[in-house]
Short mmCIF file of all heavy atoms in Angstrom, two decimals:
data_model
loop_
_atom_site.label_atom_id
_atom_site.label_comp_id
_atom_site.label_asym_id
_atom_site.label_seq_id
_atom_site.Cartn_x
_atom_site.Cartn_y
_atom_site.Cartn_z
N LYS A 1 8.33 -5.18 -20.32
CA LYS A 1 8.38 -5.67 -18.95
C LYS A 1 7.66 -4.71 -18.02
O LYS A 1 7.82 -3.50 -18.10
CB LYS A 1 9.86 -5.78 -18.57
CG LYS A 1 10.15 -6.18 -17.16
CD LYS A 1 11.65 -6.21 -16.99
CE LYS A 1 12.05 -6.47 -15.57
NZ LYS A 1 13.49 -6.41 -15.42
N ARG A 2 6.85 -5.23 -17.09
CA ARG A 2 6.10 -4.38 -16.17
C ARG A 2 6.18 -4.95 -14.76
O ARG A 2 6.09 -6.15 -14.55
CB ARG A 2 4.62 -4.31 -16.56
CG ARG A 2 4.38 -3.41 -17.77
CD ARG A 2 4.56 -1.97 -17.40
NE ARG A 2 4.25 -1.12 -18.51
CZ ARG A 2 4.64 0.13 -18.58
NH1 ARG A 2 5.35 0.66 -17.64
NH2 ARG A 2 4.32 0.86 -19.63
N MET A 3 6.31 -4.04 -13.80
CA MET A 3 6.23 -4.46 -12.40
C MET A 3 4.80 -4.29 -11.95
O MET A 3 4.18 -3.27 -12.24
CB MET A 3 7.15 -3.57 -11.54
CG MET A 3 7.29 -4.03 -10.10
SD MET A 3 8.01 -5.67 -10.02
CE MET A 3 6.69 -6.58 -9.28
N LYS A 4 4.24 -5.29 -11.28
CA LYS A 4 2.86 -5.22 -10.84
C LYS A 4 2.81 -5.21 -9.32
O LYS A 4 3.57 -5.91 -8.65
CB LYS A 4 2.06 -6.40 -11.39
CG LYS A 4 2.03 -6.39 -12.93
CD LYS A 4 1.23 -7.54 -13.48
CE LYS A 4 1.24 -7.51 -15.00
NZ LYS A 4 0.50 -8.62 -15.58
N TYR A 5 1.92 -4.42 -8.77
CA TYR A 5 1.84 -4.22 -7.34
C TYR A 5 0.45 -4.51 -6.81
O TYR A 5 -0.55 -4.36 -7.51
CB TYR A 5 2.17 -2.77 -6.97
CG TYR A 5 3.53 -2.30 -7.39
CD1 TYR A 5 3.66 -1.42 -8.46
CD2 TYR A 5 4.67 -2.72 -6.73
CE1 TYR A 5 4.91 -0.97 -8.84
CE2 TYR A 5 5.92 -2.27 -7.11
CZ TYR A 5 6.04 -1.40 -8.16
OH TYR A 5 7.26 -0.96 -8.54
N LEU A 6 0.38 -4.89 -5.55
CA LEU A 6 -0.89 -4.89 -4.82
C LEU A 6 -1.21 -3.45 -4.46
O LEU A 6 -0.37 -2.74 -3.94
CB LEU A 6 -0.75 -5.72 -3.53
CG LEU A 6 -1.91 -5.59 -2.53
CD1 LEU A 6 -3.14 -6.29 -3.10
CD2 LEU A 6 -1.53 -6.22 -1.20
N LEU A 7 -2.40 -3.01 -4.74
CA LEU A 7 -2.79 -1.63 -4.43
C LEU A 7 -3.57 -1.60 -3.13
O LEU A 7 -4.57 -2.27 -2.98
CB LEU A 7 -3.64 -1.06 -5.56
CG LEU A 7 -2.96 -1.00 -6.93
CD1 LEU A 7 -3.91 -0.35 -7.94
CD2 LEU A 7 -1.65 -0.25 -6.88
N LEU A 8 -3.08 -0.83 -2.18
CA LEU A 8 -3.82 -0.60 -0.95
C LEU A 8 -4.66 0.64 -1.16
O LEU A 8 -4.14 1.71 -1.44
CB LEU A 8 -2.85 -0.39 0.23
CG LEU A 8 -1.86 -1.54 0.48
CD1 LEU A 8 -1.01 -1.22 1.69
CD2 LEU A 8 -2.60 -2.84 0.67
N CYS A 9 -5.96 0.53 -1.03
CA CYS A 9 -6.85 1.61 -1.45
C CYS A 9 -6.97 2.66 -0.36
O CYS A 9 -7.95 2.72 0.38
CB CYS A 9 -8.21 1.05 -1.82
SG CYS A 9 -8.09 -0.16 -3.15
N VAL A 10 -5.96 3.51 -0.27
CA VAL A 10 -5.93 4.58 0.70
C VAL A 10 -6.17 5.89 -0.02
O VAL A 10 -5.55 6.14 -1.05
CB VAL A 10 -4.55 4.64 1.40
CG1 VAL A 10 -4.52 5.70 2.47
CG2 VAL A 10 -4.22 3.27 1.98
N PRO A 11 -7.07 6.74 0.46
CA PRO A 11 -7.27 8.02 -0.22
C PRO A 11 -5.95 8.76 -0.38
O PRO A 11 -5.16 8.84 0.56
CB PRO A 11 -8.21 8.77 0.74
CG PRO A 11 -8.97 7.69 1.43
CD PRO A 11 -7.98 6.56 1.60
N ALA A 12 -5.73 9.26 -1.57
CA ALA A 12 -4.59 10.11 -1.91
C ALA A 12 -3.28 9.37 -2.09
O ALA A 12 -2.29 9.98 -2.38
CB ALA A 12 -4.40 11.24 -0.88
N PHE A 13 -3.22 8.07 -1.86
CA PHE A 13 -2.00 7.39 -2.24
C PHE A 13 -2.23 5.90 -2.39
O PHE A 13 -3.14 5.33 -1.84
CB PHE A 13 -0.86 7.65 -1.25
CG PHE A 13 -0.95 6.86 0.02
CD1 PHE A 13 -0.38 5.61 0.13
CD2 PHE A 13 -1.62 7.38 1.11
CE1 PHE A 13 -0.47 4.88 1.30
CE2 PHE A 13 -1.71 6.67 2.28
CZ PHE A 13 -1.13 5.42 2.39
N PHE A 14 -1.32 5.28 -3.15
CA PHE A 14 -1.28 3.83 -3.26
C PHE A 14 0.05 3.37 -2.68
O PHE A 14 1.09 3.85 -3.07
CB PHE A 14 -1.35 3.37 -4.73
CG PHE A 14 -2.62 3.73 -5.41
CD1 PHE A 14 -2.64 4.74 -6.35
CD2 PHE A 14 -3.81 3.09 -5.10
CE1 PHE A 14 -3.81 5.07 -7.01
CE2 PHE A 14 -4.98 3.41 -5.74
CZ PHE A 14 -4.99 4.42 -6.70
N ALA A 15 0.01 2.46 -1.73
CA ALA A 15 1.25 1.93 -1.18
C ALA A 15 1.63 0.68 -1.94
O ALA A 15 0.92 -0.32 -1.88
CB ALA A 15 1.08 1.60 0.30
N CYS A 16 2.70 0.74 -2.70
CA CYS A 16 3.07 -0.35 -3.58
C CYS A 16 4.18 -1.16 -2.93
O CYS A 16 5.34 -0.78 -2.98
CB CYS A 16 3.54 0.20 -4.92
SG CYS A 16 2.28 1.20 -5.72
N ASN A 17 3.82 -2.27 -2.27
CA ASN A 17 4.84 -2.97 -1.53
C ASN A 17 4.74 -4.49 -1.61
O ASN A 17 5.39 -5.18 -0.85
CB ASN A 17 4.80 -2.53 -0.06
CG ASN A 17 3.47 -2.82 0.60
OD1 ASN A 17 2.56 -3.31 -0.03
ND2 ASN A 17 3.36 -2.50 1.88
N LYS A 18 3.96 -5.03 -2.52
CA LYS A 18 3.85 -6.48 -2.64
C LYS A 18 3.86 -6.87 -4.11
O LYS A 18 3.34 -6.15 -4.96
CB LYS A 18 2.55 -6.99 -2.01
CG LYS A 18 2.43 -6.70 -0.51
CD LYS A 18 3.37 -7.57 0.30
CE LYS A 18 3.15 -7.35 1.80
NZ LYS A 18 4.07 -8.16 2.60
N GLU A 19 4.42 -8.03 -4.39
CA GLU A 19 4.39 -8.52 -5.75
C GLU A 19 3.01 -9.07 -6.09
O GLU A 19 2.18 -9.32 -5.22
CB GLU A 19 5.42 -9.63 -5.93
CG GLU A 19 6.85 -9.12 -6.09
CD GLU A 19 7.76 -10.23 -6.51
OE1 GLU A 19 8.21 -10.96 -5.62
OE2 GLU A 19 8.02 -10.34 -7.71
N LEU A 20 2.80 -9.26 -7.38
CA LEU A 20 1.60 -9.94 -7.85
C LEU A 20 1.55 -11.34 -7.25
O LEU A 20 2.55 -11.87 -6.79
CB LEU A 20 1.65 -10.02 -9.37
CG LEU A 20 0.38 -10.48 -10.08
CD1 LEU A 20 -0.74 -9.48 -9.90
CD2 LEU A 20 0.67 -10.66 -11.56
N ASP A 21 0.37 -11.91 -7.24
CA ASP A 21 0.14 -13.26 -6.72
C ASP A 21 0.09 -13.31 -5.19
O ASP A 21 0.39 -14.34 -4.59
CB ASP A 21 1.20 -14.26 -7.22
CG ASP A 21 1.20 -14.37 -8.73
OD1 ASP A 21 0.12 -14.21 -9.33
OD2 ASP A 21 2.27 -14.59 -9.30
N VAL A 22 -0.26 -12.20 -4.56
CA VAL A 22 -0.56 -12.22 -3.14
C VAL A 22 -1.98 -11.73 -2.96
O VAL A 22 -2.52 -11.01 -3.79
CB VAL A 22 0.42 -11.33 -2.33
CG1 VAL A 22 1.82 -11.86 -2.42
CG2 VAL A 22 0.36 -9.88 -2.80
N GLU A 23 -2.61 -12.14 -1.88
CA GLU A 23 -3.99 -11.75 -1.66
C GLU A 23 -4.10 -10.28 -1.30
O GLU A 23 -3.22 -9.72 -0.66
CB GLU A 23 -4.58 -12.56 -0.50
CG GLU A 23 -4.82 -14.02 -0.80
CD GLU A 23 -5.48 -14.71 0.38
OE1 GLU A 23 -6.24 -14.03 1.09
OE2 GLU A 23 -5.20 -15.88 0.59
N LYS A 24 -5.20 -9.68 -1.69
CA LYS A 24 -5.52 -8.35 -1.22
C LYS A 24 -5.81 -8.44 0.27
O LYS A 24 -6.59 -9.27 0.72
CB LYS A 24 -6.74 -7.82 -1.97
CG LYS A 24 -7.15 -6.42 -1.54
CD LYS A 24 -8.35 -5.95 -2.34
CE LYS A 24 -8.82 -4.60 -1.86
NZ LYS A 24 -10.02 -4.16 -2.58
N LYS A 25 -5.15 -7.61 1.08
CA LYS A 25 -5.24 -7.72 2.52
C LYS A 25 -6.40 -6.93 3.12
O LYS A 25 -6.73 -7.10 4.29
CB LYS A 25 -3.93 -7.23 3.16
CG LYS A 25 -2.71 -8.04 2.72
CD LYS A 25 -2.86 -9.51 3.04
CE LYS A 25 -1.62 -10.31 2.64
NZ LYS A 25 -1.76 -11.74 2.88
N GLY A 26 -7.01 -6.06 2.36
CA GLY A 26 -8.13 -5.32 2.90
C GLY A 26 -8.23 -3.95 2.26
O GLY A 26 -7.36 -3.51 1.53
N SER A 27 -9.34 -3.29 2.52
CA SER A 27 -9.55 -1.94 2.03
C SER A 27 -9.29 -0.97 3.17
O SER A 27 -9.70 -1.21 4.31
CB SER A 27 -10.98 -1.78 1.51
OG SER A 27 -11.18 -2.60 0.38
N TYR A 28 -8.62 0.12 2.83
CA TYR A 28 -8.24 1.07 3.86
C TYR A 28 -8.77 2.46 3.51
O TYR A 28 -8.86 2.84 2.34
CB TYR A 28 -6.72 1.13 3.99
CG TYR A 28 -6.10 -0.16 4.47
CD1 TYR A 28 -5.73 -1.14 3.56
CD2 TYR A 28 -5.92 -0.40 5.82
CE1 TYR A 28 -5.18 -2.34 3.99
CE2 TYR A 28 -5.36 -1.58 6.26
CZ TYR A 28 -4.99 -2.55 5.34
OH TYR A 28 -4.45 -3.73 5.77
N THR A 29 -9.10 3.21 4.53
CA THR A 29 -9.48 4.61 4.40
C THR A 29 -8.68 5.40 5.41
O THR A 29 -7.94 4.83 6.23
CB THR A 29 -10.98 4.81 4.68
OG1 THR A 29 -11.22 4.59 6.08
CG2 THR A 29 -11.84 3.87 3.85
N THR A 30 -8.81 6.73 5.37
CA THR A 30 -8.09 7.53 6.35
C THR A 30 -8.57 7.26 7.77
O THR A 30 -7.88 7.59 8.73
CB THR A 30 -8.25 9.03 6.03
OG1 THR A 30 -9.65 9.31 5.88
CG2 THR A 30 -7.52 9.39 4.77
N ALA A 31 -9.73 6.63 7.92
CA ALA A 31 -10.24 6.32 9.26
C ALA A 31 -9.55 5.10 9.86
O ALA A 31 -9.48 4.97 11.09
CB ALA A 31 -11.75 6.10 9.21
N ASN A 32 -9.05 4.19 9.01
CA ASN A 32 -8.44 2.98 9.58
C ASN A 32 -7.02 2.72 9.08
O ASN A 32 -6.46 1.66 9.34
CB ASN A 32 -9.32 1.75 9.32
CG ASN A 32 -9.44 1.40 7.84
OD1 ASN A 32 -8.78 1.99 6.99
ND2 ASN A 32 -10.32 0.47 7.53
N TYR A 33 -6.46 3.68 8.33
CA TYR A 33 -5.05 3.55 7.96
C TYR A 33 -4.23 4.38 8.95
O TYR A 33 -4.58 4.48 10.10
CB TYR A 33 -4.83 4.02 6.51
CG TYR A 33 -3.47 3.61 5.99
CD1 TYR A 33 -3.19 2.28 5.72
CD2 TYR A 33 -2.45 4.55 5.84
CE1 TYR A 33 -1.92 1.89 5.29
CE2 TYR A 33 -1.19 4.17 5.41
CZ TYR A 33 -0.93 2.84 5.14
OH TYR A 33 0.32 2.46 4.73
N TRP A 34 -3.11 4.93 8.62
CA TRP A 34 -2.33 5.86 9.45
C TRP A 34 -2.42 5.55 10.95
O TRP A 34 -2.64 6.43 11.77
CB TRP A 34 -2.77 7.30 9.19
CG TRP A 34 -2.68 7.73 7.76
CD1 TRP A 34 -3.74 8.04 6.94
CD2 TRP A 34 -1.49 7.90 6.98
NE1 TRP A 34 -3.28 8.39 5.69
CE2 TRP A 34 -1.90 8.32 5.68
CE3 TRP A 34 -0.13 7.75 7.23
CZ2 TRP A 34 -1.00 8.58 4.66
CZ3 TRP A 34 0.78 8.01 6.21
CH2 TRP A 34 0.34 8.41 4.95
N ARG A 35 -2.25 4.25 11.29
CA ARG A 35 -2.43 3.85 12.69
C ARG A 35 -1.12 3.72 13.44
O ARG A 35 -1.08 3.89 14.66
CB ARG A 35 -3.14 2.49 12.75
CG ARG A 35 -4.49 2.41 12.06
CD ARG A 35 -4.79 0.98 11.63
NE ARG A 35 -3.78 0.49 10.69
CZ ARG A 35 -3.76 -0.73 10.18
NH1 ARG A 35 -4.67 -1.60 10.54
NH2 ARG A 35 -2.81 -1.09 9.33
N ASN A 36 -0.04 3.38 12.72
CA ASN A 36 1.18 3.01 13.41
C ASN A 36 2.39 3.29 12.52
O ASN A 36 2.26 3.83 11.41
CB ASN A 36 1.13 1.52 13.80
CG ASN A 36 0.76 0.64 12.61
OD1 ASN A 36 1.23 0.85 11.50
ND2 ASN A 36 -0.10 -0.35 12.84
N GLN A 37 3.55 2.88 12.99
CA GLN A 37 4.79 3.15 12.27
C GLN A 37 4.81 2.49 10.90
O GLN A 37 5.26 3.09 9.92
CB GLN A 37 5.98 2.67 13.11
CG GLN A 37 7.33 2.89 12.45
CD GLN A 37 8.47 2.68 13.42
OE1 GLN A 37 8.53 3.34 14.46
NE2 GLN A 37 9.38 1.77 13.09
N SER A 38 4.33 1.26 10.83
CA SER A 38 4.32 0.55 9.55
C SER A 38 3.49 1.29 8.52
O SER A 38 3.89 1.41 7.35
CB SER A 38 3.79 -0.87 9.74
OG SER A 38 3.74 -1.56 8.51
N ASP A 39 2.34 1.80 8.93
CA ASP A 39 1.49 2.55 8.01
C ASP A 39 2.21 3.81 7.53
O ASP A 39 2.13 4.17 6.34
CB ASP A 39 0.19 2.96 8.71
CG ASP A 39 -0.77 1.80 8.90
OD1 ASP A 39 -0.49 0.70 8.39
OD2 ASP A 39 -1.80 1.99 9.57
N ALA A 40 2.89 4.49 8.45
CA ALA A 40 3.59 5.72 8.08
C ALA A 40 4.69 5.43 7.06
O ALA A 40 4.81 6.13 6.04
CB ALA A 40 4.17 6.38 9.33
N VAL A 41 5.49 4.41 7.33
CA VAL A 41 6.60 4.08 6.43
C VAL A 41 6.07 3.64 5.06
O VAL A 41 6.58 4.05 4.02
CB VAL A 41 7.50 3.00 7.06
CG1 VAL A 41 8.53 2.50 6.05
CG2 VAL A 41 8.19 3.55 8.29
N ASP A 42 5.01 2.81 5.06
CA ASP A 42 4.43 2.38 3.78
C ASP A 42 3.83 3.57 3.03
O ASP A 42 3.90 3.63 1.79
CB ASP A 42 3.35 1.33 4.02
CG ASP A 42 3.93 -0.04 4.35
OD1 ASP A 42 5.15 -0.22 4.20
OD2 ASP A 42 3.16 -0.92 4.78
N GLY A 43 3.22 4.49 3.75
CA GLY A 43 2.65 5.66 3.10
C GLY A 43 3.71 6.49 2.42
O GLY A 43 3.52 6.99 1.30
N ILE A 44 4.87 6.66 3.06
CA ILE A 44 5.97 7.40 2.44
C ILE A 44 6.54 6.63 1.26
O ILE A 44 6.88 7.21 0.22
CB ILE A 44 7.06 7.70 3.49
CG1 ILE A 44 6.50 8.61 4.60
CG2 ILE A 44 8.27 8.34 2.83
CD1 ILE A 44 5.99 9.95 4.12
N THR A 45 6.62 5.30 1.38
CA THR A 45 7.07 4.49 0.25
C THR A 45 6.18 4.72 -0.97
O THR A 45 6.66 4.76 -2.11
CB THR A 45 7.07 3.00 0.62
OG1 THR A 45 7.96 2.80 1.71
CG2 THR A 45 7.51 2.13 -0.55
N GLY A 46 4.90 4.92 -0.72
CA GLY A 46 3.97 5.20 -1.81
C GLY A 46 4.29 6.49 -2.53
O GLY A 46 3.98 6.63 -3.72
N ILE A 47 4.93 7.44 -1.85
CA ILE A 47 5.35 8.68 -2.52
C ILE A 47 6.55 8.41 -3.41
O ILE A 47 6.60 8.82 -4.57
CB ILE A 47 5.66 9.78 -1.50
CG1 ILE A 47 4.49 10.01 -0.54
CG2 ILE A 47 6.00 11.08 -2.24
CD1 ILE A 47 4.78 11.02 0.56
N TYR A 48 7.55 7.70 -2.86
CA TYR A 48 8.72 7.35 -3.68
C TYR A 48 8.32 6.60 -4.94
O TYR A 48 8.92 6.78 -6.01
CB TYR A 48 9.68 6.48 -2.87
CG TYR A 48 10.56 7.21 -1.89
CD1 TYR A 48 10.18 7.35 -0.56
CD2 TYR A 48 11.79 7.75 -2.28
CE1 TYR A 48 11.00 8.00 0.36
CE2 TYR A 48 12.61 8.40 -1.38
CZ TYR A 48 12.22 8.53 -0.05
OH TYR A 48 13.03 9.18 0.84
#
């Protein structure tokens, strides 16, 4: 059994927060990520 995630392509981390069968929402870099509270919380989730 395997859990599959949507990968958000952020340098130095992957934020794993969506199940398979959802669209890729976009490509992110340090220039356009880390913008708001949601980004911060998702980034920390990527560490867990």
Side-chain angles (χ1 to χ4, degrees):
K1 176 181 174 184
R2 285 288 183 198
M3 188 61 243
K4 298 181 181 179
Y5 300 107
L6 169 71
L7 300 182
L8 303 182
C9 301
V10 183
F13 77 89
F14 297 107
C16 302
N17 60 357
K18 298 289 185 181
E19 282 190 277
L20 190 66
D21 300 328
V22 296
E23 289 183 32
K24 180 179 176 183
K25 299 302 182 183
S27 295
Y28 296 88
T29 69
T30 52
N32 65 8
Y33 193 71
W34 304 113
R35 303 154 300 177
N36 50 41
Q37 180 168 302
S38 179
D39 287 353
V41 172
D42 285 349
I44 297 300
T45 299
I47 305 176
Y48 281 94

